[in-house]
Amino acid sequence: MKHALVFGGSGQIGIPLLQRLYHAGWRVTAISRHEQHDRPGLHWLHGDLDAMPPLPARVDAIFSCGPLLKFSRWYAQSGIEASRVIAFGSTSAETKRGSADADERRVAAELREGEANLFAAAPPRSDAATVLRPTLIYGAGRDQTLTRIAQLARRLRYFPLPRGANGLRQPVHVEDLAEAAFTAYGAPATCGQVYAVPGGETLTYREMVARTLACLRPPVRLIELPSPIFNLALLAAQATGRATGLGEAAVRRMRSDMAFDAAPAQRDFGYAPRPFRPTAEMFDTPSE
């Protein structure tokens, strides 16, 4: 029986990944900062990357579904034996690299540092690492983009966008990311590689938001505003705390294309994500 160590197992990607490992007959040790309940084949450890509990000496694979930089630093100094390491990063490593926002540039730099750390630490241990870079994640009500849009829209009963928000996007479902991690493990071609894992459909930012609003119950109206008026509305929302994290750089990206090539992932491990067909339940925040 194969044995996996999973970081972020209670997160939005980790939960469906655990399901795949379980149904495939793996034995799983998962780490969580919150108390979880064991079940046959799944043992939870209470801790995190800053306060690690005792771990198995050897596993067949390590899956990291959490912060890449912290994981890579832990992995580099850990003594655990694992022939395969599959870790999630983000396409933000590229899209935020030249951002006008210093915090966003820091995020991009930390993602690239995490990847470099991982690929430097794996070969001397005879491990093979793979990094998966998702685009805009949705599907579990825990993402910081579409779920936040849906929540704000439900409160306001409308959602404003600046005109010309036509940058390309590829929202990717958490189930497809879990499947990508699971199948990448068994694909030798993925060893030592970084893959973009976008969603199965490329659409404009405006259309992505419009579909999100249309699936809510009741549906929410999309309002497009001229840029000067939108900027004033954004300032007012920021002042009241309703637009936290939405700055000038984020608004500028609404008009910028952020589309990535899925062909390498399709070629090497059969990646086949679904098109963007949201439902209201996808944006409901799960209860703890």
Side-chain angles (χ1 to χ4, degrees), residues 160-165 223-234 251 255:
L161 274 184
R163 288 178 183 166
I223 299 176
E224 293 184 272
L225 301 174
S227 291
I229 297 177
F230 178 84
N231 291 338
L232 289 174
L234 179 60
V251 174
R255 299 187 175 98

Side-chain angles (χ1 to χ4, degrees), residues 59-72:
V59 295
D60 294 284
I62 301 174
F63 294 91
S64 172
C65 305
L68 179 59
L69 180 58
K70 291 184 70 173
F71 169 74
S72 71

